[in-house]
Amino acid sequence: MANPNKKKIVLPVAPDTEAHGPVKHLYSKKVKLPYGVPGHNLTEMEREVSIDEPPALPINEKLNVLGKRTKRVDAIYKVTGAAKYTADIQLPGMLFGKFLRSPHPHAIIKSLDVSAARRYPGVRAVHVLLMEPGGSVERDSGHDAPAETYNMDQLPRLRYVGQPIAAVAAESQYIANEAVKLIKVEYETKPFVLELDKARKKGAPIVFEEVIEDGGNEGDVGVKAADEQKGNLRGPTTGSFLGGPRGDVEKGFAEADFVLEKEYRTQVQTHCCLETHGVVADWQPDLLTVYASTQNTAGVRDDLAELFGLPKSKVRVITEYMGGGFGSKFGAGHFGVMATMLSKKAGRPVKLMLDREEEHLSAGNRPNSHQMLKMGFRNDGKITAIDLTSYGTAGVGLGAGVGRVAQDMYECPNFRTAQYDVFTHAGPGAAFRAPGNVQGVFALEQMIDEAAERLGMDPVKYRDLIDKHEVRKIQRMKGAEAFGWKYKKPGSDPGPIKRGFGMAQGHWTRFINLNSSATVRINKDGSVAIMSSVQDIGTGTKTILAQVVAEELGLMAEDITVKIGDTLYPDGPGSGGSVTAGSITPAVRNAAYKAKMELLGQVAGAWDVELSDLDMKNGEVFSKTDSSKKMSFGEATKKMRTNQVMATASRPDDYGGFEIGNGIGYGRLGSVQFAEVLVDTETGFIKVERVVAAHSCGRPLNPLQVESQINGGVIMGIGYALYEDRILDLNTGYQVNANLEQYKLPYSKEIPQIETVLIEHYGAFSSTDASGIGEPANIPTAGAIANAVYNAIGVRLYELPLTPQKVLAALGVS
Amino acid sequence: MKNDSKERSPEKKKQGVSRRAFLRGAGMTTAGTVALASGMLSFKPAEPAPAKTALMGPGETEVSLTVNGQQRTLWIEPRTTLADALREHLHLTGTKVVCDRGSCSACTVWVDGTPVNSCMTLAVDVDGREVTTVEGLAKDGELHPVQEAFIEHDASMCGFCTPGMVMSCAGLLERNPNPSLDDVKLATSGNLCRCGTYPKVFDATLAAAKKMK
Ligand code: FES
Ligand code: FES
């Protein structure tokens, strides 16, 4: 049975090369597509594509809707409170669920008695998990007379504070909250280990005696086959889908004129989605309907279908609006499985939303890291060797690697990495906005700056020398210009408050999810709808889909109805790995094109003209040769023979094929950010004053929304750099700041002036040539701030978050 | 901590002190008062709560209030917060509950025109008073200028913080038609947005202020 806590389709890190080769076409055609960056190196690229592909789109400047700042189509529902999120769903007869969770970081349940909870007035169902953490698998199904008490052989070991044990469903949330406390549990506590360094030591309490078969792919790099699990250590992983070690690192160091060797540490960060994880599950004999706050409706459906032995056609998952996920909301989750179980038992819908504390404890986090980075440099700036060892803990989960930036961002013939996962008795990690790479950049980009200083070079110019990425070069240039970049001598300000400038860069692989399909439906009354299970997690997916169809049909975005986030429609991709825009928009455009051709064919018949003579633009259908033949889109649709024309399309292979297997596209999404900070050397406080963020995401579909995404990435990066830190009480294993007032986040007063620089970059990859931006926007921020802080005070900080205490310690102030 | 004495209410168990009891003493709290630097909640009581002489609870008690211009009478348990009364009893789910303890302002509504955190306000304490929620901000089918500007400037992303943001920003413009950027920051200083809409919230609010002139 699958583990429902396993986050699925976060990153297609294991491309399935054997299973599918590139798709073959009976008929193909050649199209010329824009290629490169307008104003720099724009040319055309000829690609051979399927005959079914729509014509090439010109660059944004020549389009009507795409590339234009377009209002979010659902903003009106958000600003008026009409948008219904999972947390807002109220169904007739709905019950409320509440979990009982482990109060101990490591314990055995000696006995468990639910009888008092079951008898509590208003309680309608109780369910006890009989599987290991996360494996909330239906094991006591078929208990017609469910057990009242359980013995220790039946119950899973508890491995973190907050691990779900059981739950009740009751007539109100108050009743559920009270009843769950009546579950009697006798615990036998065991020794536990919370700290990364201690968990690695000999004699540390072991988190998993057994080898964990589950690969776990929450993070990025750092998960290794089960046979490499020793004690709490798992790994090392020595490569990624981009390859393994290369060259000879020792030889590289021998050839270096100087070698830098440093240790860096990053903290555990929690996602803090405003809407907590949760579902409303409604088990009916003919259909299980689940409203879920998820980044992947199709994934939740697949999990529940598998776990409950239902055909996928009998599970419907709906996510109309969702209040943030940032990587943590994939799969049915223990709450999804539990709510479904309770609904099945009670015969009524059950709402089970985590509370804020549960959210921190059990719903995922960005693992911490301890990175040992060693790099060799020649006096001409060339990097001769990179050696990176890392340890990180995702608690009872896996995926605490530090990504691929060291492997892939700069030219270097000799590279080696060893990335270890370390198990601890803490809540499981989950994918978190550019997993791995955010941690990796904090180390790598500080070391690159150190080398630049050693070489007496400006950090921007030094990167121009060692970074061969074309687009990033333009980003550095444009970003530096917007920022007014001028190298300043570190720590050179007089007075106690010092200003500093810094920059850092990152990259993200172009992931494509080929399982991305959509239907476009044109109705006789002239209305148009898009349907797909893909969800809008706040990034603006609904709006860009409307824009894509509007562009194709010569309409405006607001003319299009977007029905997404429902598994009754064709499967869309999960929204993680920044795959959504690049995966679903070509499918939607291709479906719109097919539907358009169908409609035009019917109009051509009615007008008795050639199909090739017709086109659509500015709300009209017209003949290209006879200007008398013209009518509005709405009139044209009245000519349809049937009440609607509909077409479904799926994401084709990248034009020109994939770099690796299916789903990893050529080209990296580069990003460069510049930061200006003020550091008060008397109090240690750091204030970020200004950030310039230079990014590219292929063809930007809606610059207004891209800007918002970049702002969001930067602000989250500021939180990571300066404030956020999950703090566990070492005596109890309990998170002391499992709330939103002591877990520090950036609020309005911490927001700097943010300027975005958007580079249009055409790669001729698909019929929209769009890519995602969510993750790239978050990658370089903490690195840029760290470099700026160094520039301000002349002392480097190697550990996140950069708190006043650490600043003062680094300055030797006590 | 989690499994201590049975006689205490669930709220007491969770936080050591009874938050709801404390609320009653503190009266209502003004939204937008969480200071990151100190991590402290500062409570600025609004009008003193109307004195209730009779003992209430634990059963349901009658509360009547005006919500978005409509007179509503509810039978609710005295421990019910205004947020829950609005969401669960009146099905006005525009108001969001995110932290349920005064640290995010997602639940901001106006009581007699003043923004308050509705999760920190007992419904019985607003008996006889006037409540405006995000659903009631538009008048006669016309959006409030702040709502218009939020749409125009893309100040909502996932949108979960948006109702609270809108109520804080519109509340600011009601009392200060000519705010500076710092005023907007202060008015939203308790509003958490994890998606990072802040820069656009600032732009939108300043633009709305201009328009309202
Ligand atoms: S302040 Fe009320 S929900 Fe956060
Ligand atoms: S828009 Fe998502 S939290 Fe503010």
Side-chain angles (χ1 to χ4, degrees), chain A residues 247-373:
Chain A
D248 179 342
V249 172
E250 300 314 330
K251 194 170 136 257
F253 285 124
E255 286 165 8
D257 291 316
F258 63 96
V259 172
L260 297 177
E261 190 170 5
K262 293 282 153 64
E263 292 187 24
Y264 304 82
R265 285 178 184 268
T266 65
Q267 78 280 35
V268 174
Q269 181 186 26
T270 57
H271 296 72
C272 299
C273 314
L274 262 68
E275 184 183 33
T276 58
H277 289 62
V279 303
V280 178
D282 186 8
W283 179 285
Q284 300 285 340
D286 54 344
L287 184 70
L288 166 64
T289 305
V290 176
Y291 300 84
S293 184
T294 182
Q295 297 176 238
N296 189 2
T297 55
V300 174
R301 177 206 54 200
D302 292 354
D303 278 358
L304 292 175
E306 187 181 338
L307 289 163
F308 288 90
L310 294 168
K312 286 186 188 180
S313 54
K314 293 211 165 149
V315 184
R316 179 182 184 191
V317 176
I318 302 170
T319 305
E320 212 180 332
Y321 291 91
M322 69 87 86
F326 313 109
S328 65
K329 288 182 177 169
F330 284 83
H334 61 274
F335 41 88
V337 177
M338 179 58 93
T340 305
M341 198 60 234
L342 290 169
S343 175
K344 187 179 175 187
K345 282 185 169 178
R348 286 165 62 177
V350 173
K351 180 184 227 166
L352 185 45
M353 300 298 293
L354 303 192
D355 68 21
R356 186 52 52 191
E357 180 184 86
E358 295 178 290
E359 184 76 5
H360 281 281
L361 299 179
S362 69
N365 55 65
R366 183 192 298 279
N368 61 7
S369 76
H370 178 196
Q371 306 176 53
M372 280 134 283
L373 179 61

Side-chain angles (χ1 to χ4, degrees), chain A residues 102 104-108 157-161 187-195 198-199 202-209 232 396 423-426 729-733:
Chain A
S102 173
H104 300 294
H106 191 188
I108 288 170
R157 184 177 281 250
L158 301 174
R159 292 190 171 89
Y160 65 94
V161 172
Y187 300 99
E188 181 185 317
T189 58
K190 297 269 175 195
F192 59 92
V193 63
L194 303 169
E195 291 154 292
K198 288 209 177 126
K202 263 219 167 75
I206 300 298
V207 180
F208 291 104
E209 294 288 353
N232 290 323
V396 297
F423 289 116
T424 51
H425 290 100
D729 177 358
L730 297 181
N731 296 314
T732 62

Side-chain angles (χ1 to χ4, degrees), chain A residues 230-246:
Chain A
K230 286 174 212 82
N232 290 323
L233 216 57
R234 171 100 155 204
T237 297
T238 55
S240 71
F241 50 79
L242 297 173
R246 57 179 187 262

Side-chain angles (χ1 to χ4, degrees), chain A residues 483 496-502 674-681 683-691 718-719 721-723 746-754 784-786 788-790 792-793 797 802-804 807, chain B residues 36-37 181-182 185 202:
Chain A
F483 189 77
I497 297 181
K498 299 184 189 299
R499 192 172 293 274
F501 305 105
F674 297 81
E676 177 177 343
V677 302
L678 283 180
V679 185
D680 184 331
T681 52
T683 64
F685 261 96
I686 299 170
K687 175 106 209 299
V688 182
E689 290 266 296
R690 201 161 63 95
V691 172
I718 292 172
L722 301 183
Y723 310 120
Y747 279 62
S748 63
K749 291 188 167 178
E750 286 71 46
I751 307 302
Q753 188 194 324
I754 303 173
I785 292 172
V789 168
Y790 169 73
I793 62 175
L797 298 176
L802 311 176
T803 57
V807 171
Chain B
L36 179 93
L181 174 59
D182 281 341
K185 287 190 175 184
F202 305 155

Side-chain angles (χ1 to χ4, degrees), chain A residues 38-333:
Chain A
H40 288 273
N41 55 4
L42 183 70
T43 64
E44 278 190 333
M45 165 74 87
E46 190 175 78
R47 301 273 202 205
E48 187 160 340
V49 303
S50 157
I51 196 90
D52 296 329
E53 285 290 310
L57 276 183
I59 62 170
N60 276 350
E61 195 184 278
K62 302 193 177 137
L63 296 174
N64 292 324
V65 186
L66 287 178
K68 303 291 173 282
R69 300 172 73 84
T70 305
K71 284 187 246 174
R72 212 170 271 260
V73 292
D74 54 359
I76 175 111
Y77 308 114
K78 291 174 177 169
V79 302
T80 55
K84 289 263 185 262
Y85 297 75
T86 303
D88 301 330
I89 298 292
Q90 294 166 335
L91 300 177
M94 187 174 82
L95 301 172
F96 298 81
K98 181 69 186 174
F99 271 107
L100 169 72
R101 291 174 180 275
S102 173
H104 300 294
H106 191 188
I108 288 170
I109 299 176
K110 294 188 72 182
S111 70
L112 186 128
D113 179 353
V114 300
S115 53
R118 212 186 285 283
R119 280 198 309 270
Y120 193 76
V123 170
R124 297 287 171 256
V126 181
H127 184 69
V128 178
L129 298 176
L130 298 183
M131 291 287 278
E132 71 282 358
S136 31
V137 175
E138 181 191 359
R139 268 272 274 309
D140 68 348
S141 65
H143 281 214
D144 292 330
E148 296 278 306
T149 56
Y150 297 82
N151 65 48
M152 58 190 275
D153 304 332
Q154 291 173 290
L155 295 162
R157 184 177 281 250
L158 301 174
R159 292 190 171 89
Y160 65 94
V161 172
Q163 182 178 321
I165 297 170
V168 303
E171 296 288 350
S172 79
Q173 194 66 59
Y174 291 132
I175 297 172
N177 294 357
E178 308 232 10
V180 83
K181 296 189 160 79
L182 299 177
I183 298 175
K184 255 198 231 113
V185 191
E186 202 188 334
Y187 300 99
E188 181 185 317
T189 58
K190 297 269 175 195
F192 59 92
V193 63
L194 303 169
E195 291 154 292
L196 178 62
D197 295 351
K198 288 209 177 126
R200 280 163 57 191
K201 293 222 174 88
K202 263 219 167 75
I206 300 298
V207 180
F208 291 104
E209 294 288 353
E210 65 276 34
V211 168
I212 300 302
E213 288 301 331
D214 220 13
N217 57 352
E218 290 89 347
D220 198 355
V221 191
V223 177
K224 190 66 183 182
D227 53 355
E228 296 197 42
Q229 182 179 323
K230 286 174 212 82
N232 290 323
L233 216 57
R234 171 100 155 204
T237 297
T238 55
S240 71
F241 50 79
L242 297 173
R246 57 179 187 262
D248 179 342
V249 172
E250 300 314 330
K251 194 170 136 257
F253 285 124
E255 286 165 8
D257 291 316
F258 63 96
V259 172
L260 297 177
E261 190 170 5
K262 293 282 153 64
E263 292 187 24
Y264 304 82
R265 285 178 184 268
T266 65
Q267 78 280 35
V268 174
Q269 181 186 26
T270 57
H271 296 72
C272 299
C273 314
L274 262 68
E275 184 183 33
T276 58
H277 289 62
V279 303
V280 178
D282 186 8
W283 179 285
Q284 300 285 340
D286 54 344
L287 184 70
L288 166 64
T289 305
V290 176
Y291 300 84
S293 184
T294 182
Q295 297 176 238
N296 189 2
T297 55
V300 174
R301 177 206 54 200
D302 292 354
D303 278 358
L304 292 175
E306 187 181 338
L307 289 163
F308 288 90
L310 294 168
K312 286 186 188 180
S313 54
K314 293 211 165 149
V315 184
R316 179 182 184 191
V317 176
I318 302 170
T319 305
E320 212 180 332
Y321 291 91
M322 69 87 86
F326 313 109
S328 65
K329 288 182 177 169
F330 284 83

Side-chain angles (χ1 to χ4, degrees), chain B residues 59-130:
Chain B
E60 291 175 344
T61 189
E62 187 182 348
V63 175
S64 33
L65 60 168
T66 310
V67 179
N68 300 332
Q70 278 188 331
Q71 186 63 36
R72 309 294 297 256
T73 300
L74 293 172
W75 282 91
I76 49 172
E77 289 181 52
R79 61 179 163 177
T80 309
T81 61
L82 176 56
D84 281 347
L86 293 168
R87 288 177 52 82
E88 307 298 335
H89 296 267
L90 296 173
H91 307 291
L92 291 169
T93 54
T95 300
K96 301 292 184 255
V97 174
V98 167
C99 68
D100 205 16
R101 57 197 284 173
S103 41
C104 76
S105 296
C107 61
T108 303
V109 301
W110 299 347
V111 174
D112 295 340
T114 302
V116 303
N117 288 337
S118 60
C119 76
M120 297 289 280
T121 304
L122 291 173
V124 292
D125 282 345
V126 294
D127 189 43
R129 304 176 73 174
E130 212 168 293

